[in-house]
């Protein structure tokens, strides 16, 4: 019997089966057995075989990946082996995006070419402005982003050639290049301001600030500290292995939809308050709390089950999110330019009390990436509705890298989970009279547990 295996005994039949264990880079973090191996376990010959049941993917690896490593217990995050701390200190967002997408840090020539390619693709087709103009002035910018990135699919029919490496490269440059432009247009639409076109002399984040905040000046000059701070925030948000939006990207992409529609699906998943919408929710929560003195009362409510402490907790991190640590440092640099955001004191007090409280300690709830990012964004002049958009822009490189990895993985197929069926057995159609007569009787279609 192989050492790296498990033996399963089916107590229904008394038969035993062997299933191989395979490992990732770290044997102690990422050992797995194939769920399909369970299908050997059958109660009878014509039995389908056993499935694994895992709502919300609590313990299911959906792929093998070489992109991002997260050790949630130790609070470690690495892209392609490089620590997030070192990348935040030494790299730029575009360089990091290249690393995530292509596996290695670029040489000088590769980086120059990459910057040129991205810059070349920042401009949007003029017709996109008509889509933007169709939205209400108070439309949420995330809704505008999701819709217009999907609309890009109709401008680039060559995006359907997903198995053509050249086409994938082109769509990658278009998506990474155009996401900031879409986001900035959405922002300016909500203000009723004319759209500002990209300035290709500026850096990726410098140009984004230009498209957002340019007024009547001939040339917009971004504040270098804010430009750098935004760049670091973009590095921190670039990828995070198999989170909800990445899973959406891979799942939709597995049907061989084009990358614009897949990115739209991923951005839609990111929008929710339990994922990338949490930074917006944190700011709303801090504003509602209103003062440091009201923090204990708020914590009491959370512990009583009346709402969540937004920006706290994570499916994978059971320790301080390493991104939150870096963001706290960036906040100090930003506040030197913008002045201190008054909500910071409430956030610090929330963190202090929560980290000493039995409820949060027991559940290993720590600040995540969204807890402090919104405070910085607000100080930089972004309205809260823009916060999830600021998450979606840098995550685009991660989504595309994960999508490409999925497409080229011979083990991947269309993503299609199974289910454990709990509904009624076959029954005959009821005429209206019979339905009227049986109204009020217990129905086999009701869920087992009352909601
Ligand atoms: N405040 C209060 N209690 C919480 C919180 C929170 N923020 N998060 C989890 N819990 C409790 C939860 O009630 C449960 O308690 P009990 O065992 O008594 O039922 C326990 O902790 C485990 O929670 P869970 O919901 O089973 O954990 P999960 O892994 O399904 O959820 C999460 C992870 C991130 C959705 C959740 O922690 C949460 O809702 N946090 C607030 C929203 C947030 O900040 N999201 C951003 C996540 S990081 C960036 C990103 O992914 O975009």
């Amino acid at each position: 019997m192989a050492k790296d295996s498990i033996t399963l005994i089916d107590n229904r039949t008394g038969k035993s089966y062997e299933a191989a264990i395979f490992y990732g880079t770290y044997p102690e973090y990422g050992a797995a057995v194939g769920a399909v191996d369970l299908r050997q376990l059958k109660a009878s010959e014509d039995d389908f075989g056993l499935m694994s049941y895992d709502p919300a993917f609590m313990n299911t690896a959906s792929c093998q990946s070489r992109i991002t490593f997260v050790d949630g217990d130790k609070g470690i995050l690495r892209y392609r082996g490089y620590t997030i701390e070192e990348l935040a200190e030494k790299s730029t967002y575009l360089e990091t995006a290249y690393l995530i997408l292509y596996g290695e840090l670029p040489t000088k020539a590769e980086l120059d070419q990459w910057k040129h390619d991205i810059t070349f693709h920042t401009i949007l087709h003029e017709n996109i402005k008509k889509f933007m103009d169709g939205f209400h002035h108070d439309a949420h910018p995330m809704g505008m982003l999701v819709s217009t990135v999907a609309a890009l699919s109709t401008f680039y029919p060559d995006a359907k050639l997903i198995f053509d490496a050249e086409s994938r490269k082109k769509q990658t440059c278009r998506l990474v290049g155009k996401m900031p432009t879409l986001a900035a247009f959405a922002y300016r639409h909500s203000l009723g301001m004319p759209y500002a076109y990209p300035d290709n002399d500026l850096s990726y984040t410098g140009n984004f600030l230009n498209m957002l905040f340019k007024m009547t000046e001939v040339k917009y000059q971004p504040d270098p500290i804010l430009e750098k701070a935004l760049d670091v925030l973009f590095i921190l948000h670039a990828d995070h292995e198999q989170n909800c939006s990445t899973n959406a990207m891979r799942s939709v992409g597995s049907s061989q939809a084009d990358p614009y529609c897949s990115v739209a699906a991923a951005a839609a998943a990111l929008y929710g308050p339990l994922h990338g919408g949490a930074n917006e929710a944190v700011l709303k929560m801090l504003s509602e709390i209103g003062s440091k003195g009201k923090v204990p009362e708020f914590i009491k409510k959370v512990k009583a089950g009346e709402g969540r402490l937004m920006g706290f907790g994570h499916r994978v991190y059971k320790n301080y999110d390493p991104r939150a640590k870096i963001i706290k440092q960036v906040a100090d640099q930003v506040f030197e330019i913008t002045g201190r955001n008054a909500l910071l004191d409430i956030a610090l007090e929330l963190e202090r009390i929560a980290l000493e409280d039995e409820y949060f300690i027991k559940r290993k709830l720590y600040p995540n990436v969204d807890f402090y990012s919104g405070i910085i964004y607000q100080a930089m002049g972004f309205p809260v509705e823009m916060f999830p958009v600021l998450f979606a822009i840098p995550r685009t490189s991660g989504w595309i890298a994960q999508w490409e990895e999925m497409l080229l993985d011979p083990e991947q197929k269309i993503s299609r989970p199974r289910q454990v069926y709990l509904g009624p057995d076959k029954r005959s159609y009821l005429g209206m009279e019979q339905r009227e007569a049986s109204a009020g009787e217990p129905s086999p279609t009701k869920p087992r547990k009352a909601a």
Side-chain angles (χ1 to χ4, degrees), residues 49-120:
L50 215 58
M51 296 184 287
S52 63
Y53 176 61
D54 188 11
F57 302 122
M58 294 294 287
N59 193 38
T60 291
S62 64
C63 61
Q64 302 190 45
S65 181
R66 292 176 166 77
I67 302 171
T68 292
F69 174 70
V70 178
D71 181 333
D73 292 326
K74 297 199 186 104
I76 292 172
L77 168 60
R78 294 183 206 133
Y79 301 151
R80 304 279 189 185
Y82 294 100
T83 66
I84 195 67
E85 290 80 7
E86 212 178 358
L87 289 167
E89 190 193 329
K90 299 180 183 163
S91 191
T92 62
Y93 172 68
L94 274 192
E95 199 183 48
T96 300
Y98 186 99
L99 168 73
I100 288 174
L101 281 156
Y102 303 112
E104 295 297 337
L105 287 166
T107 61
K108 167 95 177 54
E110 285 166 342
L111 184 60
D112 289 347
Q113 183 64 47
W114 173 239
K115 279 188 195 161
H116 169 271
D117 292 346
I118 298 302
T119 308
F120 193 78

Side-chain angles (χ1 to χ4, degrees), residues 145-179:
L145 183 75
V146 168
S147 323
T148 49
V149 76
L152 286 183
S153 147
T154 64
F155 291 81
Y156 304 113
D158 58 327
K160 288 191 174 55
L161 305 173
I162 55 167
F163 292 110
D164 178 319
E166 270 309 301
S167 170
R168 283 201 306 274
K169 177 85 198 284
K170 199 177 217 176
Q171 315 317 325
T172 301
C173 294
R174 284 177 173 151
L175 274 160
V176 175
K178 291 181 201 308
M179 283 294 268

Side-chain angles (χ1 to χ4, degrees), residues 274-276 278 308-309 311-315 359 363 368 370 391:
L274 297 190
H275 192 9
R308 288 197 160 193
L309 175 46
F312 256 67
H314 199 275
R315 171 64 58 78
Y359 175 95
R363 291 169 179 78
N368 60 49
D370 292 313
F391 196 150

Side-chain angles (χ1 to χ4, degrees), residues 340-394:
R340 198 178 157 85
N341 186 332
L343 296 178
L344 181 65
D345 291 328
I346 303 175
L348 289 170
E349 183 68 356
L350 267 175
E351 179 184 332
R352 189 187 67 76
I353 296 186
L355 293 184
E356 285 173 359
D357 192 294
E358 183 57 24
Y359 175 95
F360 296 90
I361 296 170
K362 204 172 119 203
R363 291 169 179 78
K364 298 188 177 171
L365 300 170
Y366 290 88
N368 60 49
V369 68
D370 292 313
F371 194 63
Y372 287 106
S373 61
I375 298 176
I376 305 183
Y377 293 145
Q378 193 180 51
M380 289 171 90
F382 291 105
V384 280
E385 291 75 23
M386 278 297 283
F387 296 176
V389 170
L390 295 167
F391 196 150
I393 295 170

